[in-house]
Amino acid sequence: MYQQITAHIQRDIQLNPTELEEFHSLLVEKKVSAKDFLIEPGKEVLYEYYVVKGCLKAYYLDKKGNKHILQFAIEDWWISDFEAFFKNEPASLHIEAIEDSYLLGIKKEILEPLYERIPKFERFFRIKTTNAFVALRSRILSSLQKDAKERYLDFCLSYPSIEKRVPNYHIANYLGITPESLSRIRKSL
């Protein structure tokens, strides 16, 4: 059950069996059916989640009711409303399962004691946070500097296996283009 997350962690840090066993004992299993919500606006966000199986999307609804997809999460990715998680604020995002999903969650209040007992985890989560920050900055710069075709190619690099799993209108929304524009881009490639 924990093989996937163990391999994920050990790409960044090496743990002995006792440390792994302790970490595994802190994880909470969560199943979310397709079209159900993992996180909803206004709710407390106590966990960050590792995706073992499935596909989810994180999005914001603006005042006009328009959906803005910020992130997809597939196997071996982490997802949460991280701003709410780290700042102890109510969620502002919807996180919805696109497919039936199986997740492992870790509670925020457990992290600091874990870092003290096994400092390697502070390094692991720092690496994950840094990578997420860099990816977000790259996405912002991409939206400012690149045309739709270049953004689509970047998307394909970031999410190589997702196209067959996510409806085209979700991908178009993530890219900030219309589904018709996405179709034209795909045709030109």
Side-chain angles (χ1 to χ4, degrees):
M1 172 180 8
Y2 297 115
Q3 291 173 330
Q4 197 171 328
I5 196 168
T6 298
H8 175 78
I9 290 166
Q10 293 199 317
R11 283 194 292 268
D12 294 313
I13 60 172
Q14 295 305 307
L15 299 170
N16 66 44
T18 304
E19 292 167 333
L20 275 172
E21 187 176 317
E22 179 176 350
F23 179 70
H24 294 160
S25 74
L26 302 174
L27 298 172
V28 175
E29 296 177 48
K30 180 84 172 173
K31 292 181 181 179
V32 185
S33 299
K35 299 185 180 179
D36 284 350
F37 290 95
L38 174 66
I39 294 173
E40 294 180 81
K43 304 282 172 93
E44 190 174 21
V45 179
L46 300 174
Y47 293 87
E48 62 180 318
Y49 296 93
Y50 173 79
V51 182
V52 177
K53 182 179 183 304
C55 180
L56 302 98
K57 63 182 175 187
Y59 64 91
Y60 173 75
L61 281 180
D62 66 23
K63 291 178 182 176
K64 295 180 181 177
N66 298 313
K67 186 183 293 185
H68 303 276
I69 297 175
L70 305 175
Q71 178 191 0
F72 294 105
I74 55 176
E75 290 83 5
D76 215 29
W77 286 57
W78 291 83
I79 193 162
S80 189
D81 181 331
F82 290 107
E83 183 175 0
F85 179 76
F86 288 117
K87 293 174 74 177
N88 294 317
E89 295 177 349
S92 60
L93 299 179
H94 295 82
I95 299 182
E96 180 182 350
I98 295 171
E99 302 172 349
D100 290 346
S101 299
Y102 175 65
L103 314 165
L104 295 173
I106 187 156
K107 204 168 190 176
K108 183 176 190 276
E109 66 187 29
I110 290 172
L111 289 175
E112 283 302 323
L114 175 65
Y115 299 159
E116 289 173 19
R117 286 191 310 279
I118 309 171
K120 291 181 253 186
F121 274 107
E122 187 163 26
R123 179 176 190 274
F124 172 75
F125 283 105
R126 179 182 45 79
I127 290 168
K128 293 298 157 196
T129 302
T130 301
N131 289 343
F133 173 79
V134 169
L136 176 61
R137 186 169 185 267
S138 294
R139 181 161 180 229
I140 291 168
L141 288 175
S142 174
S143 71
L144 296 172
Q145 298 170 336
K146 297 180 179 180
D147 64 22
K149 185 176 183 179
E150 291 172 309
R151 290 195 314 273
Y152 174 68
L153 292 172
D154 286 350
F155 173 84
C156 291
L157 289 173
S158 294
Y159 297 102
S161 65
I162 206 167
E163 276 197 272
K164 293 173 179 65
R165 299 169 70 178
V166 174
N168 288 341
Y169 63 91
H170 285 334
I171 295 170
N173 181 289
Y174 177 85
L175 295 171
I177 60 176
T178 65
E180 296 78 19
S181 294
L182 179 59
S183 292
R184 281 193 296 276
I185 291 167
R186 284 180 168 165
K187 223 177 232 186
S188 75
L189 295 172

